[in-house]
Amino acid sequence: DAGVIQSPRHEVTEMGQEVTLRCKPISGHDYLFWYRQTMMRGLELLIYFNNNVPIDDSGMPEDRFSAKMPNASFSTLKIQPSEPRDSAVYFCASLDSTNEKLFFGSGTQLSVL
Amino acid sequence: ILNVEQSPQSLHVQEGDSTNFTCSFPSSNFYALHWYRWETAKSPEALFVMTLNGDEKKKGRISATLNTKEGYSYLYIKGSQPEDSATYLCACRGGKLIFGQGTELSVKP
């Protein structure tokens, strides 16, 4: 397996634009987590899914953020409209609850100008 | 809401020193405790996962223990090497997986 795949690796956009981050989890993993890494808060949990169902989105900072998981092999995190304070590295991670193994994607470095 | 706390925030040691970090977490609704090693510009790398009270895990010079009753885990590094320099993260899972802020370790030759 190629591991957790995130795209794009880097995204530079202007304030007000829509941004979509993508994640392909490891096949067979039943949990998917979206995190945002900032200097102030470290790895901050935004939302997580279990078997494609959103379980807890209490970490999503505002209504501008939304996430979907239409099937077991794909998830998106969307920011609309984007703001400069959204600039951060966004990580996706998938977990196999049968052995509690968690793997991270390479992250998306988002810069909102 | 899970609050995972790590201490110290940073640590500077000399090569050959042994060191340890602490991770504290709410003991209610606990399922698993994860430890990760995170180097700059890379993704976190899994070190250990522990689920049972009293669990002890070891990988080379690194080991970890778990106390679920009192809500803490220790990570130990024996004979630190410069290549051990990284941020060490713990995360507690009780459904959601919450990370601590990490301990940044710097090992000087």
Side-chain angles (χ1 to χ4, degrees):
Chain A
D1 201 313
V4 178
I5 299 173
Q6 287 188 247
S7 64
R9 289 295 304 273
H10 303 275
E11 177 80 35
V12 180
T13 191
E14 293 186 345
M15 183 174 65
Q17 296 297 307
E18 177 180 297
V19 175
T20 300
L21 311 181
R22 297 173 175 79
C23 175
K24 182 180 187 306
I26 293 174
S27 176
H29 282 199
D30 52 336
Y31 282 82
L32 184 141
F33 302 86
W34 280 101
Y35 292 93
R36 179 170 65 177
Q37 179 205 354
T38 62
M39 289 294 291
M40 291 296 294
R41 300 186 181 187
L43 274 175
E44 181 185 6
L45 178 65
L46 301 176
I47 185 172
Y48 79 98
F49 297 83
N50 178 216
N51 293 321
N52 316 337
V53 177
I55 302 301
D56 189 329
D57 65 354
S58 59
M60 298 285 257
E62 300 171 34
D63 291 345
R64 298 184 296 106
F65 286 69
S66 62
K68 294 181 180 179
M69 192 165 185
N71 56 62
S73 59
F74 185 64
S75 177
T76 59
L77 178 67
K78 185 176 293 186
I79 308 172
Q80 166 63 20
S82 58
E83 296 184 4
R85 60 193 167 123
D86 301 331
S87 299
V89 180
Y90 290 81
F91 284 100
C92 169
S94 70
L95 178 140
D96 180 351
S97 64
T98 63
N99 59 21
E100 201 63 21
K101 297 238 186 233
L102 177 85
F103 293 89
F104 280 84
S106 299
T108 294
Q109 172 78 60
L110 174 64
S111 297
V112 183
L113 306 177
Chain B
I1 297 175
L2 292 178
N3 290 314
V4 180
E5 304 287 340
Q6 290 188 247
S7 63
Q9 189 173 351
S10 64
L11 200 53
H12 300 268
V13 302
Q14 291 293 131
E15 182 176 356
D17 288 350
S18 292
T19 186
N20 65 85
F21 324 131
T22 302
C23 173
S24 62
F25 54 89
S27 53
S28 60
N29 196 31
F30 170 86
Y31 183 76
L33 192 287
H34 296 239
W35 279 101
Y36 290 85
R37 181 174 183 278
W38 196 8
E39 292 182 72
T40 304
K42 295 185 178 180
S43 302
E45 171 195 350
L47 289 173
F48 306 112
V49 177
M50 295 177 286
T51 57
L52 298 176
N53 184 46
D55 262 354
E56 294 186 18
K57 294 283 178 83
K58 186 176 181 185
K59 184 186 292 186
R61 294 179 292 101
I62 304 176
S63 59
T65 61
L66 178 66
N67 183 323
T68 60
K69 293 183 178 179
E70 296 182 36
Y72 66 83
S73 175
Y74 294 133
L75 186 78
Y76 302 92
I77 302 178
K78 185 178 179 181
S80 302
Q81 299 296 309
E83 56 265 32
D84 295 329
S85 298
T87 296
Y88 291 82
L89 296 169
C90 73
C92 180
R93 194 158 89 86
K96 60 174 76 176
L97 184 63
I98 302 295
F99 281 81
Q101 291 274 63
T103 293
E104 187 176 354
L105 175 66
S106 174
V107 183
K108 294 185 179 180

